[in-house]
Amino acid sequence: QVQLVESGGGLVQPGGSLSLSCAASGSIFDLNTMGWYRQAPGKQRELVATITQSGLTTYADFVKDRFAISRDNAKNTVYLRMNNLKPEDTAVYYCKLTNERLGYKTRYDYWGQGTQVTVSS
């Protein structure tokens, strides 16, 4: 099992910045991908950014120039630095870890509890 604990959410004004953290513990495979997803009320959950164990990143188009994902493997922690926040960024942000095995189709997904980010004047 893997447990994910998120922190860093809060209320900010448009144009402001926030940094989110997600600390993982438990049975973490050598091959894994961590990422951030978000969900606004009445909308589907959407991908924000992902990062592999080796540091390969992907970003959603709507955040690629404003957000930065990173990780510290020694601490089993993934971060999301959010700059120039907009009201449409308001959502619950969830951390995800996917354990992977080379040569196997089965993958194991784990989710954090979510942290609220509100961007408002």
Side-chain angles (χ1 to χ4, degrees):
Q1 297 183 6
V2 174
Q3 295 80 43
L4 302 171
V5 179
E6 302 171 353
S7 62
L11 174 64
V12 297
Q13 295 184 349
S17 300
L18 278 177
S19 293
L20 306 182
S21 299
C22 174
S25 62
S27 183
I28 303 170
F29 291 2
D30 290 340
L31 292 176
N32 69 79
T33 298
M34 300 186 74
W36 292 94
Y37 296 72
R38 70 186 188 185
Q39 187 168 20
K43 296 186 177 181
Q44 295 181 342
R45 189 171 299 184
E46 60 185 354
L47 183 147
V48 176
T50 64
I51 183 168
T52 67
Q53 185 81 13
S54 60
L56 180 64
T57 60
T58 61
Y59 292 93
D61 288 341
F62 53 83
V63 301
K64 66 183 299 182
D65 295 326
R66 300 183 294 123
F67 295 4
I69 190 170
S70 61
R71 63 187 292 168
D72 186 337
N73 292 336
K75 297 181 179 179
N76 294 319
T77 300
V78 64
Y79 307 92
L80 184 69
R81 178 64 177 177
M82 302 183 292
N83 297 317
N84 192 24
L85 285 162
K86 304 175 180 180
E88 52 263 42
D89 294 320
T90 296
V92 177
Y93 284 70
Y94 297 91
C95 177
K96 188 181 82 170
L97 182 147
T98 299
N99 275 331
E100 303 163 354
R101 291 185 181 273
L102 186 63
Y104 292 83
K105 295 182 178 180
T106 303
R107 290 172 169 81
Y108 305 92
D109 294 335
Y110 302 90
W111 291 90
Q113 78 285 356
T115 184
Q116 178 70 48
V117 173
T118 302
V119 185
S120 176
S121 300

